[in-house]
Amino acid sequence: MDGDFIKVIPLGGVGEIGKNITALEVNDEIIVIDCGIAFPDEEMYGVDLIIPDISYLIDNKDKVKGLFITHGHEDHIGAIPYILKQLNMDVYGTKLTLAIIENKLREHNLVETSNLILVNPGEMVSFNNLSIEFIQSTHSIAESCCFAIKTKLGTIFHTGDFKIELTPIDDKVIDIDRISTIGKEGVLLLMADSTNVERSGYTMSERSIGNTFNRIFATAKGRVIIATFASNIHRMQQIVNASLDRKRKVAFAGRSMESISRMAVDLEYLHMPEDMLIEIDDIKNYNNENITIITTGSQGEPMAALARIAYGNHKKIKIESDDLFIISAAPIPGNDKLISKVINELFKKGADVIYEDLEEVHVSGHAYREELKLMHRLIKPKYFMPVHGEYRHLKHHKDLAISLGMDPSDTFILERGDVLLINKDEAKKEGKVKTGTVLVDGLGVGDVGTLVLRDRKHLAQDGLVNIVVTIERESFSIIAGPDIITRGFVYVKEAEELIKELKDIATNELQSCLDNRIIEWYLIKTNIKKAVERYIYDKTKRRPTIIPIIMEI
Amino acid sequence: MDGDFIKVIPLGGVGEIGKNITALEVNDEIIVIDCGIAFPDEEMYGVDLIIPDISYLIDNKDKVKGLFITHGHEDHIGAIPYILKQLNMDVYGTKLTLAIIENKLREHNLVETSNLILVNPGEMVSFNNLSIEFIQSTHSIAESCCFAIKTKLGTIFHTGDFKIELTPIDDKVIDIDRISTIGKEGVLLLMADSTNVERSGYTMSERSIGNTFNRIFATAKGRVIIATFASNIHRMQQIVNASLDRKRKVAFAGRSMESISRMAVDLEYLHMPEDMLIEIDDIKNYNNENITIITTGSQGEPMAALARIAYGNHKKIKIESDDLFIISAAPIPGNDKLISKVINELFKKGADVIYEDLEEVHVSGHAYREELKLMHRLIKPKYFMPVHGEYRHLKHHKDLAISLGMDPSDTFILERGDVLLINKDEAKKEGKVKTGTVLVDGLGVGDVGTLVLRDRKHLAQDGLVNIVVTIERESFSIIAGPDIITRGFVYVKEAEELIKELKDIATNELQSCLDNRIIEWYLIKTNIKKAVERYIYDKTKRRPTIIPIIMEI
């Protein structure tokens, strides 16, 4: 390619929620921004999580200069251990972000081989063709950053996940001065968070929840047990503050809550008197009105602490009738039913429960429309590319940019793998790189694909019918079987008659094949399968997975 | 039992959403109120729908006088065909309600054997111990009713699903006069809809959506395609009205939309000029700006018309770039992702889409808190029992009644099957009748239970490993196999090595059993299963269903 050029390649995070990762190629240097996971759809049976396909980075590994992380949420860092195993890169981030990443790498035994490089907000990292400036941003996790990437062709501004928080709990206000200066100097391309583009107005400040907590704590008679995201240290701080006012000790429940709170105290992101923090084992030593418990499970996850408490399976926390539970989070789409089940269970056991439908116990960490407009007005980019959202969000964010005066031809909605090519004359979508979704199931990374999922889905719908028979090839005779073995089809005791009929059908079909001296097993199997399938469908309107198995002696 | 008594027995609809059915027993007479279905949870793999267990009614069939239906929604009528097959009862309802039921019975070939009895709002049906008065109510379907059931001990008032709609589209205002009179005369027990008890204020009038439609239609350049619930005839009427103003013809798409709209026109619930209604086949004969299409699929259901249009699978409706889609419904919890996928798809294909997040294109049919308070104030019951809701809703509705001055001991949250016994002295929960959930899968009613679902869930998670072997009993020798056949476990081509190892492990385990002259097949199977299970888990951290199959010759 002649002259300077920039390629912007989202390898995830556009046209989907989560799995945020973008490659930014400036001449012969590539930097990667974020490296997150996505959570599986309900039809992705058995899949634990989804990571990006980084074939493009591996194919260009000599160009890759490093991985730059905007903040420490799973959808921005969760895939790092998996990706580093495929391609070792230097990882750049703020102190808290790196601490969370290191925790994660430790679980994968990757700390030794990884190179984590601290960058404070306001600092810059430079390569030959580009430099990356970390800019203080605000989001539902501390020390989130926007990136300003300087190149010969101009500056690229990536917001990361953000909201315009003017009264943050740690007083680290989003650096509007700097953003404004960068905007005034001229920005070539803006990439901005689209999550809440469908919400009008302005997000409430995180601080507003503190008032709700104070009010709720003032009347709570027993323990207060609050579920929230472990990474939301500002929320934790507000719970701690409300507890301090009411002379309550604070304990943390749930693995990620325990580890992140410990880290947050050690690194001085979470401030509390030393004697205020107690272990869950010690809550029995205090009166109920002197205890606050902060717990995982705000999404109703069945294995998390909150659900275990609700269903009576938590070893150390049993529900008492004066307990007040607060679910300080919004349900992620798809989790409503799980959360509702937990709420019902808590009420049934006599506790009181407060959640978003009833009180202001949560605010979003993503900018609403007016905040997005402010960002656009400050940055005034030449080109715009909405990121972080499903297609509907990207579309509405593009429309928002146009409503602010941008030319539609200067706005770009990219699909995963699309390349936005920018040179001194123009920006245009050009070409596509290999990308996609890699499924993680247990220890397996990528070995579960479309075929396996299709089989699981089929098995899930109507179960399984095995038809097993042993045949002597020489004599064309049935030696044993056919036996019918089912799972998840019908309860066998109730369906003895049906099973017997299936056995007869399989026997007849098999015998007729053998009588006709058909020796191609696949043909026999197909015939048996078809006959049994037809009969089952007529009788039951179900389509179980049918597996004919012929053993030959 | 001495003296007069009343038993109120919810056989469904309490502690759950849907499947509404209540038995009301007055001395030796039972009436049944509503008979709905519920939809399966996502973990109920392969289940089509859920119907109530009516063992109690069957056991007391001589007492059962009839089935009284408040309105024609699936969660109140959907189980009627299944239940009438078990216990034939007279079915009482308003004209529209019966027409919808008849349609349903026709699909099950039950019209001949069923007895549908028309009752108009304001009319009464009497038996020896009780009489049921139908009272005009308002809800998101026409001709919904409240019931006032008179007994010697007092009046029982059942709201059905309701909202206090003061400007209904058909001008049939909820009969507040009558409700107020009944309240003044004294009510023993109120049973009231709890669906929206967590929402403060008052629902918007259905009529408010008409204004939104007018505004949207005024600027639409091409076809307007609106998805809504087929049973919401008032919504249909408003779409027809907006179309009439703009000289648009109206076509209906989707099976239930076509049949209910036809019925609504025939029975004069839906009013439109004769030449305004066109067939989908004829839309090609009109300009896009003269077409409105009303379609099913507002919940994103993959097989409904809207999703088929979105994914390009609809034979007669292809998306055009000036199409404007409106999703005039709220997502039922659990459906958000399906709907979002459809919206993304429509945007991608270049259409515009309007939905609840963006505009007021839907209002709820269920009373908010202020309406519930009004109902309580009018009825002033001695006893109160919240119905139609999960536990959280029932609990909040009970609290609402208490906040209005009721004594907590006069309010009753019942679980499914609980009996509320009322006599001249008191009301109390006493005893429990057999009840539950009956799962319908294809033609099977009740043959899929906990065990089958557990198997399906297990199969769905990690697939299946069959281990098949033929053994000669006499010689304790392996004649054929063991063969390993998997489905939904790993993609076999990528896991040849693992399959080979499993074969070796199974062979070794089997051989050692045979060498030790173990002849109990179940013991051999258990040993093989355990060995293979352990190996798979260590290697993959997965737990597929393992089925050892031994054929014996």
Side-chain angles (χ1 to χ4, degrees), chain B residues 175-188:
Chain B
D175 193 348
I176 311 178
D177 284 353
R178 184 63 194 141
I179 294 170
S180 147
T181 303
I182 290 168
K184 280 187 211 109
E185 290 167 2
V187 169
L188 182 65

Side-chain angles (χ1 to χ4, degrees), chain A residues 198 340 355 390 447 456 488, chain B residues 198 340 355 390 456 488 542:
Chain A
E198 292 181 356
S340 203
Y355 38 97
E390 297 176 10
D447 63 342
R456 285 185 187 171
Chain B
E198 292 181 355
S340 202
Y355 39 98
E390 297 176 11
R456 285 184 187 171
R542 298 183 197 167

Side-chain angles (χ1 to χ4, degrees), chain A residues 45-46 198 340 344 355 357 390 392 396 441 443 447 451 456 460-461 466 470 479 488 491 540 542 553, chain B residues 45-46 198 340 344 355 357 390 392 396 441 443 447 451 456 460-461 466 470 479 488 491 540 542 553:
Chain A
Y45 295 121
E198 292 181 356
S340 203
N344 286 325
Y355 38 97
D357 296 353
E390 297 176 10
R392 58 192 264 192
H396 282 126
D441 177 5
L443 294 182
D447 63 342
L451 285 174
R456 285 185 187 171
Q461 282 308 302
N466 277 322
T470 305
I479 301 294
Y491 187 49
T540 67
R542 297 182 198 168
I553 63 172
Chain B
Y45 295 122
E198 292 181 355
S340 202
N344 286 324
Y355 39 98
D357 295 354
E390 297 176 11
R392 58 192 263 191
H396 282 126
D441 176 5
L443 295 181
D447 64 341
L451 285 175
R456 285 184 187 171
Q461 282 307 303
N466 277 321
T470 305
I479 302 295
Y491 188 50
T540 68
R542 298 183 197 167
I553 63 171

